[in-house]
Amino acid sequence: MRVTVNRKAHFNAAHRLYRNDWSDKKNEAVFGKCNNPNFHGHNYELIVSVTGAIDPETGYVIDMKVLKDIIKSEVEDAFDHKNLNLDVPDFKDLNPTAENIVVVIYNKIKPKLKANLDLTITLYETPRNFVIYPGK
Ligand code: NI
């Protein structure tokens, strides 16, 4: 019997989508508003989903307090009120699209979990636009 437990979190961050090796015109055409040279912010909403067996002793899949602390140290402390392009080394050479951000978050949290737990990350960039990465 495997159960998925979910915890929501959020962070505010600025970004700009562009490629150095493209002209301004092509960047503008491909990335539109998200190419704004002066950056812009999003209120990112995150759902961290952990799937595993229920521990017969505790009745938990994972202690929510433990999960909360992992999300705080790996995501909130690293991304909240940051400029993803300039302040976060993960995006030094990686366009901070929602797709790339969700993979970075997965790769930061997964090693902190017991190996027998599966992880899926859902990231909302806007209330209507969201991406999901189940790690495969
Ligand atoms: Ni944007």
Side-chain angles (χ1 to χ4, degrees), residues 53-98:
I54 300 174
D55 183 317
E57 240 173 21
T58 61
Y60 291 158
V61 172
I62 182 173
D63 184 333
M64 278 294 190
K65 172 74 168 65
V66 170
L67 186 57
K68 178 187 172 191
D69 290 346
I70 293 171
I71 295 168
K72 181 178 187 310
S73 63
E74 297 303 316
V75 182
E76 292 169 353
D77 290 352
F79 294 174
D80 192 35
H81 287 75
K82 299 286 173 66
N83 180 313
L84 297 177
N85 301 79
L86 303 181
D87 300 332
V88 181
D90 300 278
F91 301 106
K92 189 171 176 290
D93 299 308
L94 183 67
N95 222 2
T97 59

Side-chain angles (χ1 to χ4, degrees), residues 15 34 40 42 125:
H15 77 166
C34 275
H40 61 279
H42 290 284
E125 189 170 75

Side-chain angles (χ1 to χ4, degrees), residues 13-27:
H15 77 166
R16 178 194 179 197
L17 302 183
Y18 71 104
R19 290 189 62 99
N20 269 333
D21 55 337
W22 287 359
S23 68
D24 289 351
K25 197 173 169 185
K26 182 166 181 183
N27 273 302

